[in-house]
Every structure is written in structure tokens, then in C-alpha cells.
Amino acid sequence: MYIIVGLGNPEEKYLKTFHNMGYIAVGDVAEKLGVKFKKKECESFVAEAFVRGEKIILARPVTYMNASGRAVKQLMNKYKCPPEHLIVIYDDYDLPKGSVRIRPSGSAGTHNGMRSVIAETGVQNFPRIRIGIRDSESNIPIINYVLSEVKKEDYELFISACGRSAEAALAICNGESVEKVMTSYNG
């Protein structure tokens, strides 16, 4: 059993914003597995799939970014998921745009959604896949930047990063160690 959570904001107006990279990436996982987000539970839109006979829950919390931890905690409790089988995908302003960084555990850094996940679940030892969004040429406040739409000229770069993130999550679900996935996908 694995749970893959893509962090983001549920309203249509946030669909193409930097803060929704996790939503887009978990959508890519669903597409690769041929499933759709058909039900709502644990304050999330959820899809179910199987990889090598193991159940995979894909989730997009509807709690908004800063309260994502509520949904993640509910999902972990409902499915009795150990932390090492929780994979969280999210945008990261601390990484250059289009980069992907996988870690087996760690702090929330500057990300409020991850702060919520760690605070609510009480654990940090779960794999996370971060999609870099920082544009070194932008000088607008972070809160305005993360809620702004991806520029047309950068769209393909971010779609590619979300696709690589989806592949990395599936590799972990397929039994590859987080360390091996880090070697293959970080960068």
C-alpha cells in the first residue's frame, strides 16, 4: 500500500499556478496508471490503482495548501499507511525552476503545505518529491509568485518536471529504493 499525495489548491483559478505542481504531477501518475479521480474522501479527491498487486491511493487534498496535513493524516489513518509508504509531491521555491529533487525524509523547508503535513502527521520520515519553481529573474514576493500562473514560455519545462516526478513516484511504488530513484531523477 502506497499513498501518493500531490499538494495544491482545489479551485479552477489555481489550476496552472506554480503552487499546483503537485496536483499536476499526481494527475500524471493517474494518467500513467489509467485511473481517474472519481471519489472524494478524507478531504481529498482520490483515485485507486494497483502496481505489482499493491494498492496505490492517489490524492489531491481539497483543504488548500496550508491545511494539507489534515487530509494527509486522514488518508494515512484510513489506509493504515506507514510513513515510508507516503509519497508527497509539491512545488519548491527553494529549487531552480524545472528541477526535480527527491528525498527520503527531511524538514518542511519554507513550504507551508509541508509544514502542515509534518505538523498533522507528526512524522518527517516519508519520501518527498519536490519540483523547483524559482525563477532567479523574478523579484515579486513569494506568496504572489507561487499563486501566479506559469509563463507560457516555461510551460513545457514544468510539464516535463511533473512527468519526471510522476515517474519517480511510480519507481518507488515499483520497489526501487528512494536512494536509487534519487540517483535517477534528481536534477
Side-chain angles (χ1 to χ4, degrees), residues 86-164:
L86 168 68
I87 301 168
V88 180
I89 308 174
Y90 61 101
D91 64 285
D92 194 330
Y93 186 80
D94 295 329
L95 297 174
K97 66 181 178 180
S99 62
V100 173
R101 187 82 41 90
I102 297 120
R103 292 285 179 257
S105 63
S107 72
T110 60
H111 200 280
N112 289 335
M114 281 300 289
R115 283 186 187 138
S116 173
V117 170
I118 290 169
E120 288 283 343
T121 64
V123 296
Q124 293 186 32
N125 62 325
F126 55 88
R128 69 270 327 265
I129 301 173
R130 302 179 298 157
I131 300 168
I133 64 167
R134 186 184 70 240
D135 184 342
S136 59
E137 295 175 16
S138 176
N139 56 5
I140 63 174
I142 293 175
I143 187 64
N144 296 342
Y145 182 79
V146 299
L147 294 176
S148 65
E149 283 196 14
V150 173
K151 296 176 191 169
K152 287 182 183 175
E153 61 266 23
D154 289 335
Y155 193 71
E156 289 302 318
L157 175 68
F158 285 105
I159 292 302
S160 174
C162 288
R164 289 192 322 273

Side-chain angles (χ1 to χ4, degrees), residues 39-110:
K39 65 181 179 176
K40 189 174 176 187
E41 64 182 24
C42 302
E43 295 187 81
S44 302
F45 289 112
V46 174
E48 292 183 18
F50 287 86
V51 173
R52 293 179 13 182
E54 188 152 8
K55 189 176 200 173
I56 308 294
I57 300 297
L58 307 176
R60 289 174 164 162
V62 296
T63 55
Y64 291 89
M65 184 63 80
N66 293 352
S68 298
R70 271 196 346 247
V72 173
K73 181 179 180 179
Q74 291 172 39
L75 289 161
M76 289 179 73
N77 288 340
K78 177 176 181 156
Y79 291 101
K80 313 238 182 300
C81 179
E84 60 273 11
H85 283 203
L86 168 68
I87 301 168
V88 180
I89 308 174
Y90 61 101
D91 64 285
D92 194 330
Y93 186 80
D94 295 329
L95 297 174
K97 66 181 178 180
S99 62
V100 173
R101 187 82 41 90
I102 297 120
R103 292 285 179 257
S105 63
S107 72
T110 60

Side-chain angles (χ1 to χ4, degrees), residues 8-16 20 23 64:
N9 289 309
E11 286 184 64
E12 184 78 25
K13 68 182 180 180
Y14 297 114
L15 188 62
K16 294 181 181 180
N20 267 31
Y23 262 34
Y64 291 89

